[in-house]
Amino acid sequence: MPYSDWSVLSMNLPRKDRLSAHNLIMSSSTKMMQVLRSILEYRGYRVPAEVPELRTFHVSHTSSASRCLVYFPSETGRAGIVVIRDISAKMETISASDAIVICDGLTSNALVEVRSLMCSNKFIYNMTPKFLMFDLFEHHEVPKHRILSEKERSDFLKCHAVKDTKYLATLLITDPATKYLGAHPGDI
């Protein structure tokens, strides 16, 4: 079922309930797009005033030539290897290093493909619609997160007498803050 066609969800409801379900879904998609815009801006991407709601698009970084692809699969549910290969091809076309795929999860074969793409410096982050319903960094109990610049990184390692980053605590690529920041392996 395409994300743009939510009518199937409310088919068997009475008219009054169908209208309220439709309004709920529309307000949910608006909230998802607001949080997605916030994530992209936090990562330093220029987000145009008009972005297609629940449609695939790409944005450029404000200070570098990097790009990010935002991909909405045509079917809901978990994305498979075909979707990941399609994303990879689109990333190649627009010279994007990062991609965000909005779906309910990835199949195990798709995860293997994502890991192999990481070796060629293509990073694909999966964000569920549920993840995009809440702006993580607006919560009062979430500490400030950021990725250190190269100079800050070297100063930090020197100040704390750390010879290798493997001795530091690590965050998984699946951690919500890591997804939000767009962190890559090795970032501090």
Side-chain angles (χ1 to χ4, degrees), residues 127-143:
M127 295 185 186
T128 63
K130 187 177 177 181
F131 177 84
L132 292 173
M133 293 306 296
F134 176 73
D135 195 341
L136 177 71
F137 288 165
E138 284 184 3
H139 195 278
H140 68 280
E141 290 187 4
V142 175

Side-chain angles (χ1 to χ4, degrees), residues 53-78:
E53 195 160 301
L54 305 177
R55 299 275 185 248
T56 299
F57 64 95
H58 69 275
V59 290
S60 300
H61 202 274
T62 54
S63 62
S64 67
S66 67
R67 292 189 176 151
C68 180
L69 174 72
V70 179
Y71 188 90
F72 290 88
S74 59
E75 299 291 322
T76 58
R78 295 176 64 183

Side-chain angles (χ1 to χ4, degrees), residues 38-177:
S38 173
I39 289 169
L40 291 169
E41 288 172 349
Y42 196 86
R43 289 183 178 192
Y45 290 104
R46 245 185 327 264
V47 183
E50 293 295 320
V51 291
E53 195 160 301
L54 305 177
R55 299 275 185 248
T56 299
F57 64 95
H58 69 275
V59 290
S60 300
H61 202 274
T62 54
S63 62
S64 67
S66 67
R67 292 189 176 151
C68 180
L69 174 72
V70 179
Y71 188 90
F72 290 88
S74 59
E75 299 291 322
T76 58
R78 295 176 64 183
I81 195 163
V82 173
V83 170
I84 298 303
R85 288 183 178 155
D86 184 37
I87 292 169
S88 178
K90 288 182 190 237
M91 288 173 73
E92 198 72 38
T93 304
I94 63 168
S95 302
S97 58
D98 289 349
I100 298 172
V101 59
I102 313 298
C103 64
D104 292 328
L106 302 175
T107 64
S108 56
N109 289 339
L111 286 170
V112 170
E113 186 74 11
V114 166
R115 286 191 196 105
S116 71
L117 289 170
M118 286 172 61
C119 295
S120 59
N121 288 329
K122 288 184 182 175
F123 297 92
I124 299 175
Y125 301 90
N126 172 237
M127 295 185 186
T128 63
K130 187 177 177 181
F131 177 84
L132 292 173
M133 293 306 296
F134 176 73
D135 195 341
L136 177 71
F137 288 165
E138 284 184 3
H139 195 278
H140 68 280
E141 290 187 4
V142 175
K144 185 174 175 16
H145 290 72
R146 68 184 181 97
I147 299 172
L148 299 181
S149 68
E150 286 301 316
K151 179 170 179 4
E152 291 172 324
R153 177 190 173 101
S154 63
D155 291 346
F156 175 84
L157 294 173
K158 196 179 295 177
C159 175
H160 295 286
V162 178
K163 294 181 179 165
D164 193 358
T165 57
K166 71 180 179 185
Y167 298 113
L168 297 175
T170 57
L171 290 175
L172 296 175
I173 195 108
T174 55
D175 184 271

Side-chain angles (χ1 to χ4, degrees), residues 19-48:
L19 291 175
S20 63
H22 175 74
N23 291 338
L24 177 66
I25 291 165
M26 288 299 106
S27 67
S28 297
S29 67
T30 303
K31 178 64 178 173
M32 279 175 43
M33 294 307 288
Q34 287 172 348
V35 173
L36 185 59
R37 174 183 290 279
S38 173
I39 289 169
L40 291 169
E41 288 172 349
Y42 196 86
R43 289 183 178 192
Y45 290 104
R46 245 185 327 264
V47 183

